[in-house]
Amino acid sequence: MGGGARELAGYLAALGGWAAALAAAVLPQWRQSSYAGDAIITAVGLHEGLWMSCAAQSTGQVQCRLRDSLLSLDAYIQTSRALMVISLLLGFFGIIVSVVGMKCTKVGDEDPVTKSRIAVAGGVLFILSGLCTLAAVSLYATQVTYEFFKTSKVPINARYEFGSALFIGWGAASLMLLGGSLLCCSCPAKDRRGQQYYRQSQPSTAREYV
């Protein structure tokens, strides 16, 4: 795969991962009611996310409400919120920087060495964004797992398990890490050495003919 094609593939993968991370951040299905156990004790399915909680009735009606107070939230929810916001901001800047640095674009400096360095910077931003998303989703999943298996009087079919947003977040983090890694493969050192060698070889060739 050529350098330009590799950069384009990395950019598209990272862009798709960022869009998936945005969807995961706003979805309320970070955890949902568990249907494990012998019997279902309620006809209402509960879903909770970072920003809102929803109740889905058996008739198909869904009611959602935003979380009232930030300070009353558990520490792991506040941390996951902060990590997702940081992830989306880093990914947004990574999108802009990568567009300037890719070889297939005519934006910014035309020097290939400079564009390669900018592309690498965009890749680093995407990798950091993916790591933040991975940390947020994994932290939330760890808390859900702990509350599900801890000794409690709450019936197992009244507890919470992983929601679909967690799996979307893991997929988003994987795409951003993959895309950022491909963008970081744009190494400017080889281009710089090639340009210096070409410039140094030109005068000596001219003198030989004289």
Side-chain angles (χ1 to χ4, degrees):
M1 183 183 293
R6 182 173 57 246
E7 287 181 354
L8 182 59
Y11 179 78
L12 292 178
L15 180 61
W18 184 84
L22 177 61
V26 300
L27 284 175
Q29 287 88 7
W30 280 62
R31 67 176 184 174
Q32 62 187 15
S33 298
S34 174
Y35 294 102
D38 299 332
I40 299 176
I41 63 175
T42 178
V44 178
L46 301 179
H47 306 274
E48 292 188 3
L50 298 179
W51 313 98
M52 65 178 66
S53 57
C54 299
Q57 300 179 2
S58 58
T59 58
Q61 295 180 348
V62 179
Q63 295 179 344
C64 299
R65 69 179 182 87
L66 296 175
R67 296 184 181 274
D68 298 328
S69 174
L70 174 64
L71 299 179
S72 64
L73 295 177
D74 294 330
Y76 75 96
I77 298 179
Q78 297 184 24
T79 305
S80 297
R81 275 187 177 186
L83 288 172
M84 289 303 297
V85 171
I86 294 173
S87 172
L88 294 175
L89 289 176
L90 290 174
F92 176 76
F93 289 118
I95 292 173
I96 298 176
V97 173
S98 298
V99 168
V100 177
M102 287 193 302
K103 298 176 182 178
C104 59
T105 62
K106 300 298 182 181
V107 182
D109 198 336
E110 293 296 330
D111 182 23
V113 176
T114 303
K115 289 183 74 68
S116 296
R117 290 174 177 173
I118 296 174
V120 170
V124 171
L125 290 174
F126 277 127
I127 291 176
L128 293 176
S129 178
L131 291 176
C132 288
T133 299
L134 181 62
V137 175
S138 300
L139 174 63
Y140 198 98
T142 301
Q143 184 65 27
V144 172
T145 304
Y146 169 75
E147 293 180 356
F148 186 88
F149 288 106
K150 74 176 181 180
T151 304
S152 175
K153 296 181 179 179
V154 179
I156 191 172
N157 52 7
R159 302 177 188 179
Y160 288 95
E161 61 184 18
F162 293 170
S164 58
L166 293 182
F167 299 99
I168 296 175
W170 278 315
S174 301
L175 285 175
M176 284 191 286
L177 290 174
L178 175 62
S181 300
L182 290 176
L183 286 171
C184 287
C185 290
S186 301
C187 182
K190 294 181 180 180
D191 296 336
R192 184 174 61 252
R193 287 196 298 265
Q195 286 184 352
Q196 291 177 351
Y197 176 79
Y198 177 77
R199 292 172 182 174
Q200 292 175 359
S201 61
Q202 288 298 101
S204 60
T205 305
R207 286 194 297 268
E208 289 177 1
Y209 281 104
V210 173

